[in-house]
Short mmCIF file of all heavy atoms in Angstrom, two decimals:
data_model
loop_
_atom_site.label_atom_id
_atom_site.label_comp_id
_atom_site.label_asym_id
_atom_site.label_seq_id
_atom_site.Cartn_x
_atom_site.Cartn_y
_atom_site.Cartn_z
N MET A 1 -217.18 23.53 -10.26
CA MET A 1 -217.21 22.49 -9.26
C MET A 1 -215.76 22.14 -8.90
O MET A 1 -214.96 21.88 -9.78
CB MET A 1 -217.94 21.27 -9.84
CG MET A 1 -217.94 20.08 -8.95
SD MET A 1 -218.80 18.60 -9.57
CE MET A 1 -220.26 19.20 -10.31
N ASN A 2 -215.46 22.14 -7.61
CA ASN A 2 -214.10 21.79 -7.22
C ASN A 2 -213.95 20.26 -7.15
O ASN A 2 -214.93 19.53 -7.30
CB ASN A 2 -213.70 22.47 -5.91
CG ASN A 2 -214.44 21.93 -4.70
OD1 ASN A 2 -214.77 20.76 -4.62
ND2 ASN A 2 -214.70 22.80 -3.74
N GLY A 3 -212.74 19.82 -6.93
CA GLY A 3 -212.46 18.38 -6.93
C GLY A 3 -213.23 17.61 -5.88
O GLY A 3 -213.73 16.51 -6.14
N THR A 4 -213.36 18.17 -4.69
CA THR A 4 -214.09 17.49 -3.63
C THR A 4 -215.57 17.37 -3.97
O THR A 4 -216.18 16.31 -3.79
CB THR A 4 -213.91 18.21 -2.28
OG1 THR A 4 -212.52 18.25 -1.96
CG2 THR A 4 -214.66 17.51 -1.17
N GLU A 5 -216.16 18.44 -4.48
CA GLU A 5 -217.58 18.40 -4.86
C GLU A 5 -217.80 17.37 -5.96
O GLU A 5 -218.77 16.62 -5.93
CB GLU A 5 -218.05 19.77 -5.31
CG GLU A 5 -218.12 20.78 -4.21
CD GLU A 5 -218.36 22.19 -4.75
OE1 GLU A 5 -218.21 22.41 -5.96
OE2 GLU A 5 -218.69 23.05 -3.93
N GLY A 6 -216.91 17.35 -6.94
CA GLY A 6 -217.03 16.39 -8.03
C GLY A 6 -216.88 14.96 -7.54
O GLY A 6 -217.61 14.07 -7.98
N ALA A 7 -215.94 14.75 -6.64
CA ALA A 7 -215.73 13.41 -6.10
C ALA A 7 -216.96 12.94 -5.32
O ALA A 7 -217.38 11.79 -5.44
CB ALA A 7 -214.49 13.38 -5.21
N ARG A 8 -217.54 13.85 -4.55
CA ARG A 8 -218.75 13.49 -3.79
C ARG A 8 -219.91 13.18 -4.74
O ARG A 8 -220.65 12.22 -4.53
CB ARG A 8 -219.14 14.61 -2.84
CG ARG A 8 -218.20 14.73 -1.68
CD ARG A 8 -218.60 15.84 -0.77
NE ARG A 8 -219.65 15.32 0.12
CZ ARG A 8 -219.90 15.79 1.31
NH1 ARG A 8 -219.21 16.82 1.78
NH2 ARG A 8 -220.82 15.28 2.07
N LEU A 9 -220.05 13.96 -5.79
CA LEU A 9 -221.11 13.72 -6.78
C LEU A 9 -220.90 12.36 -7.45
O LEU A 9 -221.84 11.58 -7.61
CB LEU A 9 -221.12 14.83 -7.82
CG LEU A 9 -222.14 14.69 -8.94
CD1 LEU A 9 -223.55 14.76 -8.38
CD2 LEU A 9 -221.93 15.79 -9.95
N PHE A 10 -219.66 12.07 -7.83
CA PHE A 10 -219.34 10.79 -8.44
C PHE A 10 -219.68 9.65 -7.48
O PHE A 10 -220.26 8.64 -7.87
CB PHE A 10 -217.86 10.74 -8.82
CG PHE A 10 -217.43 9.42 -9.37
CD1 PHE A 10 -217.74 9.05 -10.66
CD2 PHE A 10 -216.69 8.54 -8.58
CE1 PHE A 10 -217.34 7.82 -11.17
CE2 PHE A 10 -216.29 7.32 -9.08
CZ PHE A 10 -216.61 6.95 -10.37
N ARG A 11 -219.33 9.81 -6.22
CA ARG A 11 -219.60 8.79 -5.20
C ARG A 11 -221.10 8.55 -5.06
O ARG A 11 -221.55 7.41 -4.97
CB ARG A 11 -218.99 9.24 -3.88
CG ARG A 11 -219.29 8.35 -2.72
CD ARG A 11 -218.32 7.20 -2.65
NE ARG A 11 -218.67 6.41 -1.47
CZ ARG A 11 -218.76 5.11 -1.46
NH1 ARG A 11 -218.47 4.43 -2.54
NH2 ARG A 11 -219.09 4.45 -0.38
N GLU A 12 -221.89 9.62 -5.02
CA GLU A 12 -223.34 9.47 -4.90
C GLU A 12 -223.92 8.73 -6.11
O GLU A 12 -224.81 7.89 -5.97
CB GLU A 12 -224.00 10.83 -4.75
CG GLU A 12 -223.71 11.48 -3.41
CD GLU A 12 -224.18 12.93 -3.33
OE1 GLU A 12 -224.91 13.38 -4.24
OE2 GLU A 12 -223.81 13.61 -2.35
N ALA A 13 -223.40 9.04 -7.29
CA ALA A 13 -223.86 8.35 -8.50
C ALA A 13 -223.47 6.87 -8.46
O ALA A 13 -224.24 6.00 -8.88
CB ALA A 13 -223.28 9.02 -9.74
N TRP A 14 -222.29 6.59 -7.95
CA TRP A 14 -221.82 5.20 -7.82
C TRP A 14 -222.76 4.41 -6.90
O TRP A 14 -223.19 3.32 -7.23
CB TRP A 14 -220.40 5.20 -7.27
CG TRP A 14 -219.83 3.82 -7.14
CD1 TRP A 14 -219.90 3.01 -6.05
CD2 TRP A 14 -219.14 3.09 -8.15
NE1 TRP A 14 -219.27 1.83 -6.31
CE2 TRP A 14 -218.79 1.84 -7.60
CE3 TRP A 14 -218.76 3.38 -9.45
CZ2 TRP A 14 -218.10 0.88 -8.31
CZ3 TRP A 14 -218.06 2.42 -10.16
CH2 TRP A 14 -217.74 1.19 -9.60
N ILE A 15 -223.09 4.99 -5.75
CA ILE A 15 -223.98 4.33 -4.79
C ILE A 15 -225.34 4.09 -5.43
O ILE A 15 -225.92 3.00 -5.29
CB ILE A 15 -224.12 5.15 -3.50
CG1 ILE A 15 -222.79 5.15 -2.74
CG2 ILE A 15 -225.23 4.60 -2.61
CD1 ILE A 15 -222.72 6.16 -1.61
N ALA A 16 -225.87 5.07 -6.14
CA ALA A 16 -227.16 4.92 -6.81
C ALA A 16 -227.11 3.77 -7.83
O ALA A 16 -228.05 2.98 -7.93
CB ALA A 16 -227.57 6.22 -7.49
N GLY A 17 -226.00 3.68 -8.55
CA GLY A 17 -225.84 2.60 -9.53
C GLY A 17 -225.76 1.23 -8.87
O GLY A 17 -226.35 0.26 -9.36
N VAL A 18 -225.04 1.15 -7.77
CA VAL A 18 -224.95 -0.12 -7.03
C VAL A 18 -226.34 -0.55 -6.58
O VAL A 18 -226.74 -1.71 -6.77
CB VAL A 18 -224.00 0.01 -5.81
CG1 VAL A 18 -224.13 -1.18 -4.87
CG2 VAL A 18 -222.56 0.16 -6.28
N ARG A 19 -227.10 0.37 -6.01
CA ARG A 19 -228.44 0.02 -5.52
C ARG A 19 -229.38 -0.34 -6.67
O ARG A 19 -230.25 -1.20 -6.51
CB ARG A 19 -229.01 1.18 -4.71
CG ARG A 19 -228.28 1.31 -3.39
CD ARG A 19 -228.97 2.28 -2.47
NE ARG A 19 -228.38 2.20 -1.14
CZ ARG A 19 -228.07 3.25 -0.40
NH1 ARG A 19 -228.31 4.45 -0.83
NH2 ARG A 19 -227.54 3.08 0.78
N ARG A 20 -229.23 0.30 -7.81
CA ARG A 20 -230.12 0.05 -8.94
C ARG A 20 -229.80 -1.28 -9.63
O ARG A 20 -230.71 -2.00 -10.04
CB ARG A 20 -230.01 1.19 -9.96
CG ARG A 20 -230.96 1.02 -11.13
CD ARG A 20 -230.90 2.17 -12.13
NE ARG A 20 -230.92 3.45 -11.47
CZ ARG A 20 -229.98 4.41 -11.63
NH1 ARG A 20 -228.97 4.21 -12.45
NH2 ARG A 20 -230.06 5.55 -10.99
N HIS A 21 -228.54 -1.60 -9.79
CA HIS A 21 -228.16 -2.74 -10.63
C HIS A 21 -227.79 -4.02 -9.88
O HIS A 21 -227.66 -5.06 -10.51
CB HIS A 21 -227.00 -2.34 -11.54
CG HIS A 21 -227.36 -1.23 -12.47
ND1 HIS A 21 -228.22 -1.40 -13.55
CD2 HIS A 21 -227.01 0.08 -12.48
CE1 HIS A 21 -228.36 -0.25 -14.18
NE2 HIS A 21 -227.64 0.67 -13.56
N PHE A 22 -227.61 -3.94 -8.57
CA PHE A 22 -227.23 -5.12 -7.81
C PHE A 22 -228.23 -5.35 -6.68
O PHE A 22 -228.29 -4.57 -5.75
CB PHE A 22 -225.81 -4.97 -7.24
CG PHE A 22 -224.77 -4.91 -8.31
CD1 PHE A 22 -224.29 -3.68 -8.74
CD2 PHE A 22 -224.30 -6.07 -8.90
CE1 PHE A 22 -223.33 -3.61 -9.74
CE2 PHE A 22 -223.34 -6.01 -9.90
CZ PHE A 22 -222.87 -4.78 -10.32
N PRO A 23 -229.02 -6.42 -6.80
CA PRO A 23 -230.03 -6.69 -5.77
C PRO A 23 -229.38 -7.09 -4.44
O PRO A 23 -228.23 -7.49 -4.39
CB PRO A 23 -230.83 -7.86 -6.36
CG PRO A 23 -229.89 -8.52 -7.30
CD PRO A 23 -229.00 -7.43 -7.83
N GLY A 24 -230.14 -6.97 -3.38
CA GLY A 24 -229.65 -7.36 -2.06
C GLY A 24 -228.92 -6.23 -1.38
O GLY A 24 -228.96 -5.08 -1.80
N GLU A 25 -228.25 -6.58 -0.30
CA GLU A 25 -227.52 -5.60 0.48
C GLU A 25 -226.13 -5.38 -0.11
O GLU A 25 -225.41 -6.34 -0.35
CB GLU A 25 -227.40 -6.07 1.92
CG GLU A 25 -228.66 -5.95 2.72
CD GLU A 25 -229.13 -4.50 2.84
OE1 GLU A 25 -228.32 -3.63 3.19
OE2 GLU A 25 -230.32 -4.26 2.57
N PRO A 26 -225.74 -4.12 -0.32
CA PRO A 26 -224.39 -3.85 -0.82
C PRO A 26 -223.36 -4.09 0.27
O PRO A 26 -223.68 -4.23 1.45
CB PRO A 26 -224.45 -2.37 -1.21
CG PRO A 26 -225.55 -1.81 -0.39
CD PRO A 26 -226.53 -2.92 -0.15
N GLU A 27 -222.09 -4.14 -0.12
CA GLU A 27 -221.00 -4.23 0.84
C GLU A 27 -221.16 -3.11 1.86
O GLU A 27 -221.62 -2.02 1.51
CB GLU A 27 -219.66 -4.07 0.12
CG GLU A 27 -219.33 -5.18 -0.85
CD GLU A 27 -218.90 -6.44 -0.15
OE1 GLU A 27 -218.26 -6.37 0.91
OE2 GLU A 27 -219.21 -7.52 -0.69
N PRO A 28 -220.78 -3.33 3.12
CA PRO A 28 -220.97 -2.29 4.14
C PRO A 28 -220.35 -0.93 3.79
O PRO A 28 -220.92 0.10 4.12
CB PRO A 28 -220.30 -2.89 5.37
CG PRO A 28 -220.35 -4.36 5.16
CD PRO A 28 -220.23 -4.55 3.67
N ALA A 29 -219.23 -0.90 3.10
CA ALA A 29 -218.57 0.37 2.78
C ALA A 29 -219.24 1.09 1.60
O ALA A 29 -219.10 2.30 1.46
CB ALA A 29 -217.10 0.15 2.47
N GLU A 30 -219.96 0.36 0.75
CA GLU A 30 -220.53 0.99 -0.45
C GLU A 30 -221.49 2.14 -0.14
O GLU A 30 -221.36 3.20 -0.72
CB GLU A 30 -221.21 -0.05 -1.34
CG GLU A 30 -220.25 -0.87 -2.15
CD GLU A 30 -219.36 -0.05 -3.06
OE1 GLU A 30 -219.78 0.99 -3.61
OE2 GLU A 30 -218.21 -0.44 -3.22
N PRO A 31 -222.49 1.94 0.73
CA PRO A 31 -223.42 3.06 0.94
C PRO A 31 -222.96 4.06 2.00
O PRO A 31 -223.71 4.94 2.37
CB PRO A 31 -224.70 2.35 1.39
CG PRO A 31 -224.22 1.10 2.05
CD PRO A 31 -222.96 0.71 1.32
N ALA A 32 -221.73 3.95 2.46
CA ALA A 32 -221.24 4.87 3.50
C ALA A 32 -221.27 6.31 2.99
O ALA A 32 -221.01 6.58 1.82
CB ALA A 32 -219.82 4.50 3.91
N GLU A 33 -221.62 7.20 3.89
CA GLU A 33 -221.63 8.63 3.56
C GLU A 33 -220.19 9.12 3.41
O GLU A 33 -219.26 8.57 3.99
CB GLU A 33 -222.34 9.42 4.65
CG GLU A 33 -223.82 9.07 4.79
CD GLU A 33 -224.62 9.45 3.57
OE1 GLU A 33 -224.31 10.49 2.94
OE2 GLU A 33 -225.57 8.72 3.24
N TRP A 34 -220.01 10.18 2.66
CA TRP A 34 -218.69 10.75 2.36
C TRP A 34 -217.83 10.95 3.61
O TRP A 34 -216.69 10.49 3.65
CB TRP A 34 -218.85 12.05 1.57
CG TRP A 34 -217.56 12.63 1.12
CD1 TRP A 34 -216.88 13.65 1.71
CD2 TRP A 34 -216.78 12.22 0.00
NE1 TRP A 34 -215.73 13.91 1.02
CE2 TRP A 34 -215.65 13.04 -0.04
CE3 TRP A 34 -216.94 11.24 -0.98
CZ2 TRP A 34 -214.67 12.92 -1.01
CZ3 TRP A 34 -215.96 11.13 -1.94
CH2 TRP A 34 -214.85 11.95 -1.96
N PRO A 35 -218.34 11.61 4.66
CA PRO A 35 -217.49 11.83 5.83
C PRO A 35 -217.09 10.54 6.55
O PRO A 35 -216.10 10.52 7.27
CB PRO A 35 -218.34 12.69 6.76
CG PRO A 35 -219.46 13.19 5.94
CD PRO A 35 -219.64 12.24 4.79
N ASP A 36 -217.84 9.46 6.33
CA ASP A 36 -217.55 8.20 6.99
C ASP A 36 -216.53 7.34 6.25
O ASP A 36 -216.07 6.33 6.78
CB ASP A 36 -218.84 7.38 7.17
CG ASP A 36 -219.86 8.10 8.03
OD1 ASP A 36 -219.43 8.90 8.90
OD2 ASP A 36 -221.06 7.88 7.83
N LEU A 37 -216.19 7.75 5.03
CA LEU A 37 -215.22 6.98 4.25
C LEU A 37 -213.81 7.23 4.76
O LEU A 37 -213.47 8.35 5.15
CB LEU A 37 -215.27 7.39 2.77
CG LEU A 37 -216.55 7.05 2.01
CD1 LEU A 37 -216.48 7.66 0.61
CD2 LEU A 37 -216.75 5.56 1.93
N PRO A 38 -212.96 6.21 4.73
CA PRO A 38 -211.56 6.44 5.09
C PRO A 38 -210.92 7.40 4.08
O PRO A 38 -211.36 7.49 2.93
CB PRO A 38 -210.92 5.06 5.00
CG PRO A 38 -212.00 4.08 4.70
CD PRO A 38 -213.24 4.83 4.37
N LEU A 39 -209.90 8.07 4.51
CA LEU A 39 -209.22 9.04 3.65
C LEU A 39 -208.77 8.42 2.34
O LEU A 39 -208.94 9.00 1.27
CB LEU A 39 -208.03 9.67 4.38
CG LEU A 39 -207.24 10.71 3.59
CD1 LEU A 39 -208.13 11.87 3.17
CD2 LEU A 39 -206.07 11.21 4.43
N TRP A 40 -208.20 7.21 2.38
CA TRP A 40 -207.71 6.57 1.16
C TRP A 40 -208.85 6.37 0.16
O TRP A 40 -208.66 6.49 -1.04
CB TRP A 40 -207.01 5.24 1.46
CG TRP A 40 -207.92 4.14 1.93
CD1 TRP A 40 -208.19 3.79 3.21
CD2 TRP A 40 -208.70 3.27 1.10
NE1 TRP A 40 -209.09 2.75 3.26
CE2 TRP A 40 -209.42 2.40 1.97
CE3 TRP A 40 -208.87 3.12 -0.27
CZ2 TRP A 40 -210.28 1.42 1.50
CZ3 TRP A 40 -209.74 2.14 -0.72
CH2 TRP A 40 -210.43 1.30 0.15
N HIS A 41 -210.06 6.07 0.67
CA HIS A 41 -211.20 5.85 -0.21
C HIS A 41 -211.63 7.16 -0.86
O HIS A 41 -211.90 7.22 -2.07
CB HIS A 41 -212.34 5.24 0.59
CG HIS A 41 -213.38 4.56 -0.24
ND1 HIS A 41 -214.08 3.49 0.19
CD2 HIS A 41 -213.84 4.81 -1.49
CE1 HIS A 41 -214.94 3.11 -0.74
NE2 HIS A 41 -214.80 3.90 -1.77
N ARG A 42 -211.70 8.23 -0.07
CA ARG A 42 -212.06 9.54 -0.63
C ARG A 42 -211.03 9.99 -1.67
O ARG A 42 -211.40 10.54 -2.71
CB ARG A 42 -212.18 10.57 0.48
CG ARG A 42 -213.44 10.38 1.30
CD ARG A 42 -213.57 11.40 2.37
NE ARG A 42 -212.66 11.00 3.45
CZ ARG A 42 -212.40 11.71 4.53
NH1 ARG A 42 -212.95 12.88 4.69
NH2 ARG A 42 -211.59 11.26 5.44
N GLU A 43 -209.74 9.76 -1.40
CA GLU A 43 -208.70 10.14 -2.36
C GLU A 43 -208.82 9.34 -3.65
O GLU A 43 -208.64 9.87 -4.74
CB GLU A 43 -207.32 9.95 -1.74
CG GLU A 43 -207.02 10.96 -0.66
CD GLU A 43 -205.72 10.67 0.07
OE1 GLU A 43 -205.19 9.55 -0.02
OE2 GLU A 43 -205.24 11.59 0.76
N THR A 44 -209.15 8.07 -3.53
CA THR A 44 -209.32 7.23 -4.73
C THR A 44 -210.51 7.70 -5.55
O THR A 44 -210.41 7.81 -6.79
CB THR A 44 -209.52 5.75 -4.31
OG1 THR A 44 -208.37 5.34 -3.58
CG2 THR A 44 -209.71 4.86 -5.52
N VAL A 45 -211.62 8.00 -4.90
CA VAL A 45 -212.79 8.51 -5.61
C VAL A 45 -212.46 9.83 -6.31
O VAL A 45 -212.83 10.06 -7.46
CB VAL A 45 -213.99 8.68 -4.65
CG1 VAL A 45 -215.14 9.39 -5.32
CG2 VAL A 45 -214.43 7.33 -4.11
N ALA A 46 -211.71 10.69 -5.63
CA ALA A 46 -211.31 11.97 -6.23
C ALA A 46 -210.43 11.75 -7.45
O ALA A 46 -210.59 12.43 -8.47
CB ALA A 46 -210.60 12.84 -5.20
N ASP A 47 -209.52 10.78 -7.38
CA ASP A 47 -208.66 10.47 -8.53
C ASP A 47 -209.48 9.99 -9.72
O ASP A 47 -209.23 10.38 -10.86
CB ASP A 47 -207.61 9.42 -8.16
CG ASP A 47 -206.55 9.94 -7.22
OD1 ASP A 47 -206.41 11.18 -7.07
OD2 ASP A 47 -205.84 9.10 -6.63
N VAL A 48 -210.45 9.12 -9.45
CA VAL A 48 -211.30 8.61 -10.54
C VAL A 48 -212.09 9.76 -11.14
O VAL A 48 -212.17 9.90 -12.38
CB VAL A 48 -212.25 7.50 -10.02
CG1 VAL A 48 -213.28 7.13 -11.08
CG2 VAL A 48 -211.45 6.28 -9.60
N PHE A 49 -212.66 10.62 -10.32
CA PHE A 49 -213.42 11.76 -10.83
C PHE A 49 -212.53 12.65 -11.70
O PHE A 49 -212.93 13.07 -12.79
CB PHE A 49 -214.03 12.57 -9.69
CG PHE A 49 -214.64 13.85 -10.17
CD1 PHE A 49 -215.85 13.85 -10.84
CD2 PHE A 49 -213.99 15.06 -10.00
CE1 PHE A 49 -216.42 15.03 -11.32
CE2 PHE A 49 -214.54 16.23 -10.47
CZ PHE A 49 -215.75 16.22 -11.14
N GLU A 50 -211.34 12.97 -11.23
CA GLU A 50 -210.43 13.83 -12.00
C GLU A 50 -210.09 13.21 -13.35
O GLU A 50 -210.05 13.90 -14.37
CB GLU A 50 -209.17 14.11 -11.21
CG GLU A 50 -209.39 15.05 -10.04
CD GLU A 50 -208.15 15.22 -9.19
OE1 GLU A 50 -207.02 14.96 -9.68
OE2 GLU A 50 -208.29 15.60 -8.02
N THR A 51 -209.88 11.91 -13.37
CA THR A 51 -209.59 11.22 -14.63
C THR A 51 -210.78 11.31 -15.58
O THR A 51 -210.61 11.60 -16.77
CB THR A 51 -209.22 9.75 -14.36
OG1 THR A 51 -208.06 9.71 -13.53
CG2 THR A 51 -208.94 9.00 -15.66
N LEU A 52 -211.96 11.07 -15.07
CA LEU A 52 -213.17 11.15 -15.90
C LEU A 52 -213.40 12.58 -16.40
O LEU A 52 -213.79 12.77 -17.56
CB LEU A 52 -214.38 10.67 -15.13
CG LEU A 52 -214.42 9.18 -14.80
CD1 LEU A 52 -215.58 8.87 -13.87
CD2 LEU A 52 -214.51 8.36 -16.08
N GLU A 53 -213.16 13.54 -15.54
CA GLU A 53 -213.35 14.93 -15.92
C GLU A 53 -212.41 15.33 -17.05
O GLU A 53 -212.79 16.06 -17.97
CB GLU A 53 -213.13 15.82 -14.70
CG GLU A 53 -213.50 17.27 -14.92
CD GLU A 53 -213.38 18.08 -13.66
OE1 GLU A 53 -212.38 17.95 -12.95
OE2 GLU A 53 -214.32 18.84 -13.39
N LYS A 54 -211.19 14.84 -17.03
CA LYS A 54 -210.21 15.16 -18.08
C LYS A 54 -210.58 14.52 -19.41
O LYS A 54 -210.23 15.07 -20.46
CB LYS A 54 -208.82 14.67 -17.66
CG LYS A 54 -208.21 15.48 -16.56
CD LYS A 54 -206.87 14.91 -16.15
CE LYS A 54 -206.32 15.63 -14.94
NZ LYS A 54 -205.10 15.01 -14.44
N THR A 55 -211.24 13.37 -19.38
CA THR A 55 -211.57 12.67 -20.62
C THR A 55 -212.92 13.07 -21.18
O THR A 55 -213.28 12.66 -22.28
CB THR A 55 -211.53 11.15 -20.42
OG1 THR A 55 -212.49 10.77 -19.44
CG2 THR A 55 -210.15 10.68 -20.00
N ALA A 56 -213.68 13.84 -20.42
CA ALA A 56 -215.04 14.21 -20.85
C ALA A 56 -214.98 15.35 -21.86
O ALA A 56 -214.12 16.12 -21.98
CB ALA A 56 -215.88 14.62 -19.66
#
């Protein structure tokens, strides 16, 4: 799995967790699809995924 695929997978899991654990409507940016995220947000998600992958 490359970094982008991993970041997208992490993002999808994050959205699922938000919907499962927090009732009501999430922040507008939370359920946004990957292509709709600003570049800085995608880069941040990729950084978090890379950090988690290294510690796993």
Side-chain angles (χ1 to χ4, degrees):
M1 175 180 318
N2 69 33
T4 300
E5 291 170 346
R8 288 180 83 154
L9 178 64
F10 176 76
R11 175 84 179 134
E12 290 171 11
W14 181 269
I15 292 168
V18 167
R19 289 189 170 136
R20 183 178 314 124
H21 298 289
F22 295 97
E25 285 298 311
E27 295 284 327
E30 283 302 325
E33 296 295 325
W34 185 260
D36 299 331
L37 293 174
L39 180 59
W40 69 265
H41 199 149
R42 286 181 282 174
E43 290 173 344
T44 301
V45 172
D47 290 344
V48 171
F49 172 75
E50 288 175 21
T51 299
L52 291 172
E53 189 175 45
K54 288 177 186 174
T55 61

